[in-house]
Amino acid sequence: MDEKNFIARLRELTPRRSVGMVAGNLILAIGISILKWSHTGNDPYSAMIMALADVAGVSYGAFLIFFNCFLFVIEIIWGRKYIGVGTLVNWGLLGPVVDLVYPFWIHTFREADVLWKQLLLALIGIVVISIGCSLYQTSDAGISPYDSLAIIGEDRTPLPYFWARMICDGACALVCFFAHGVMGIGMLCCAFCLGPVIAFFNKFLSVPLLLPGKKPDEGRAGQQKRNHKK
C-alpha cells in the first residue's frame, strides 16, 4: 500500500465526505439486499459472490470479504494510488450489512413470490443502489477492490474504462451462470441503468450534499471520471 498517498487522502477527507462514504456503503448494502430479495438478479459482481457463496456453503458477507482479499492484492500491486479508507470500509462493511438486512426483509415482509412484487423490488433496489454508489463515489475516499479492476485495466492496457468494466462484469456474469446463480432482469437493469441513474443522483444529491458550491463535473466524482479516462 502507498502509505503516503493513503495518509494524504485520509487527511483531506472532510467530515461531510466521511459521512457520505459510510452512508453510501450502508445504502449500497441495503440496495443489494433488496435486489437479492427480488430474485431477479443483482449487479454482476454481487451476483457472482452470492452464487459462489452458495456453492461454498458460507454467507455472502463472509465470502465477499474472503474474495476481496485476492482483489486487494491486485489493487496493492497495480492500483495502490486508489486505496483509501473507503476501500477498507467497503471491503469490511458491505457484506455483513447485506447478511444482516436480507433476513429482515424475508421475515418481515415475506418472500417476493409474484412477478409484480419482484419487478417493483428490482426497481427499488436499482434506485437505492444508485444512491449508495453516488454517495460512496462522490466522497472519493478510496476505491473498492472490485471497482479498482476496471481502472487498473484502463491504466495498464489500451482498453478504455468502459470496455475494461464490461469485461470485468461480463466475467462475473459468466461465473455466476456456471455457478447456477440468479440471473434476470435485475442484472440487466444493473448493467444498463446504473450509470445514468448514478449520474442523476450525482448531480442532484451527492455533489450538492458532499461538495457544496461545486458543479457535478467539477466535484470529486467528475474529477475521478476524468482521471479514469487519462
Side-chain angles (χ1 to χ4, degrees):
M1 185 185 300
D2 188 340
E3 294 183 2
K4 291 183 179 179
N5 182 72
F6 183 89
I7 294 173
R9 186 187 291 269
L10 186 61
R11 285 177 176 172
E12 70 173 14
L13 188 61
T14 64
R16 187 186 294 258
R17 284 169 47 215
S18 299
V19 171
M21 177 265 294
V22 175
N25 277 291
L26 289 173
I27 294 170
L28 177 57
I30 292 171
I32 291 172
S33 72
I34 292 174
L35 268 183
K36 183 179 181 181
W37 181 24
S38 76
H39 301 296
T40 62
N42 222 298
D43 68 273
Y45 183 58
S46 296
M48 180 190 74
I49 295 298
M50 290 174 189
L52 293 177
D54 287 342
V55 172
V58 298
S59 70
Y60 166 80
F63 198 87
L64 178 65
I65 292 174
F66 168 76
F67 197 85
N68 275 342
C69 292
F70 296 97
L71 301 187
F72 189 61
V73 171
I74 297 174
E75 190 172 9
I76 287 178
I77 296 173
W78 290 299
R80 63 183 62 187
K81 63 183 177 180
Y82 301 117
I83 297 173
V85 66
T87 306
L88 306 180
V89 170
N90 178 275
W91 182 359
L93 184 67
L94 200 65
V97 173
V98 172
D99 287 344
L100 180 66
V101 175
Y102 176 70
F104 171 79
W105 303 132
I106 303 300
H107 296 321
T108 306
F109 302 104
R110 300 183 180 179
E111 288 281 3
D113 51 2
V114 294
L115 182 59
W116 72 266
K117 288 183 180 180
Q118 294 174 341
L119 295 178
L120 178 61
L121 289 174
L123 177 62
I124 294 172
I126 292 293
V127 173
V128 174
I129 285 175
S130 298
I131 294 172
C133 285
S134 177
L135 289 169
Y136 152 65
Q137 292 173 3
T138 302
S139 69
D140 191 30
I143 299 173
S144 70
Y146 177 70
D147 288 336
S148 73
L149 294 183
I151 302 172
I152 292 170
E154 182 187 36
D155 289 345
R156 301 283 173 170
T157 72
L159 291 174
Y161 175 79
F162 173 82
W163 287 110
R165 182 72 189 210
M166 288 293 290
I167 290 172
C168 291
D169 287 348
C172 290
L174 192 62
V175 173
C176 178
F177 173 78
F178 284 111
H180 304 290
V182 179
M183 302 179 69
I185 192 171
M187 182 179 288
L188 290 176
C189 288
C190 284
F192 294 104
C193 299
L194 279 183
V197 181
I198 290 172
F200 171 84
F201 285 115
N202 284 347
K203 181 177 181 179
F204 293 104
L205 175 68
S206 299
V207 172
L209 189 63
L210 303 183
L211 306 170
K214 290 189 177 181
K215 296 179 180 179
D217 59 350
E218 293 175 344
R220 293 185 175 273
Q223 182 62 45
Q224 188 178 66
K225 186 184 296 184
R226 289 193 293 272
N227 290 341
H228 293 173
K229 292 181 179 179
K230 292 180 180 179

